[in-house]
Amino acid sequence: MDENNKEVKQEVTDKYSLRGRVFNRLREDILSGKYEQEEELREITIASDFGVSRTPVREALRQLELEGLVRIIPNKGAYVTGISGKDIHDIYHIRSYLEGLCARWACEHITKEQLEQLEEIVYLCEFHAKKKHLDQIVELDNRFHEIIYEACESKMLEHVLRDFHHYVERVRRISLAGENRAETSNKEHMAIFQALKKGDVELAEKLAHEHMLRAIENLKKCGL
């Protein structure tokens, strides 16, 4: 490859990596609640705050619109739509079926190393739940689900579930902080782990599905 082609390739890579960084940061800020519903996202302000030109900001906003997190009105601007209460409940109901399917497929492909990781997470979470260490509980909860997503060996299903999991991360944090939810959730994780270890696909699917349904009930108790 000659020097000119290398320069062009590098420019393209830099462009997309820059847009990706802006997109990920804006996405995180929206999902964390930094921006209010219907708040305007001004390109020039964001560009100044991020230290970039308006082009990657504009591209990131278009990508966020495709995800349903932003609404762009021609000749007016971009506005935050975020994740509504209905969206959250929809996500959990959809996840209840997809998590079940994921657990079924994971049961067929999970490795010994992944099972050992799940077991370690369950015991660590039990310790932190007793100590009320919320940050560690949330992190371990994330990792438990991520390992199962990886084990299902479906990049499409893994991608969808990772996005859904990320969309409701702020809500999950509130839910796990509720009375006894961390302990109860971890017991449900233990049951899912045992089913995966036994290779019981039907039970793994059933337990993963029910785990999400119980999470929905807990959201209602938390007023979410």
Side-chain angles (χ1 to χ4, degrees):
M1 183 183 292
D2 60 37
E3 289 302 315
N4 288 335
N5 284 338
K6 284 182 180 179
E7 289 178 7
V8 170
K9 185 176 181 181
Q10 186 61 45
E11 286 177 7
V12 171
T13 301
D14 290 346
K15 174 187 174 184
Y16 283 101
S17 62
L18 182 59
R19 181 186 69 182
R21 289 198 298 273
V22 174
F23 165 76
N24 287 326
R25 184 169 163 188
L26 276 175
R27 187 180 191 235
E28 189 64 40
D29 286 345
I30 291 171
L31 292 174
S32 68
K34 178 179 178 179
Y35 296 108
E36 300 288 336
Q37 288 281 111
E38 297 303 325
E39 183 174 347
E40 184 177 2
L41 297 171
R42 298 179 181 274
E43 286 182 12
I44 191 167
T45 302
I46 294 170
S48 176
D49 289 345
F50 288 13
V52 299
S53 70
R54 293 174 68 175
T55 299
V57 175
R58 189 176 302 117
E59 292 171 343
L61 289 173
R62 287 175 184 152
Q63 192 173 352
L64 287 165
E65 184 180 35
L66 292 175
E67 289 207 4
L69 297 177
V70 165
R71 176 168 52 96
I72 297 176
I73 302 176
N75 302 317
K76 287 194 69 177
Y79 299 85
V80 173
T81 54
I83 301 293
S84 69
K86 182 181 183 301
D87 292 335
I88 289 168
H89 283 268
D90 287 349
I91 287 171
Y92 270 95
H93 279 289
I94 295 168
R95 277 184 68 195
S96 71
Y97 294 99
L98 295 184
E99 293 269 358
L101 177 62
C102 184
R104 169 180 281 273
W105 288 353
C107 202
E108 298 169 350
H109 303 289
I110 197 162
T111 66
K112 180 181 177 182
E113 181 183 1
Q114 287 169 328
L115 284 170
E116 289 172 350
Q117 290 174 355
L118 289 178
E119 186 173 27
E120 182 181 12
I121 288 169
V122 169
Y123 285 116
L124 281 173
C125 198
E126 182 179 12
F127 168 80
H128 289 296
K130 289 177 181 177
K131 301 290 185 179
K132 307 296 182 184
H133 296 160
L134 185 59
D135 288 343
Q136 289 87 344
I137 292 167
V138 173
E139 183 179 344
L140 289 166
D141 181 83
N142 285 341
R143 187 59 189 143
F144 182 89
H145 286 278
E146 286 172 358
I147 290 170
I148 297 177
Y149 299 163
E150 293 163 6
C152 81
E153 293 196 357
S154 167
K155 66 180 181 180
M156 303 309 294
L157 183 55
E158 180 180 353
H159 174 72
V160 171
L161 283 172
R162 280 183 183 275
D163 274 351
F164 278 164
H165 203 61
H166 189 56
Y167 284 167
V168 296
E169 188 165 341
R170 183 166 62 97
V171 173
R172 287 191 304 105
R173 187 179 183 86
I174 296 171
S175 178
L176 286 168
E179 187 177 0
N180 298 324
R181 179 54 193 164
E183 293 90 337
T184 302
S185 177
N186 196 50
K187 288 177 182 177
E188 293 165 13
H189 282 179
M190 173 61 89
I192 293 169
F193 158 70
Q194 293 289 358
L196 291 170
K197 187 176 181 181
K198 293 175 184 175
D200 191 331
V201 294
E202 300 292 340
L203 183 58
E205 180 174 21
K206 177 176 178 289
L207 292 173
H209 174 69
E210 291 175 348
H211 178 55
M212 287 297 104
L213 296 182
R214 292 194 181 98
I216 294 170
E217 290 304 313
N218 193 65
L219 290 178
K220 294 176 182 176
K221 291 178 183 177
C222 295
L224 299 170

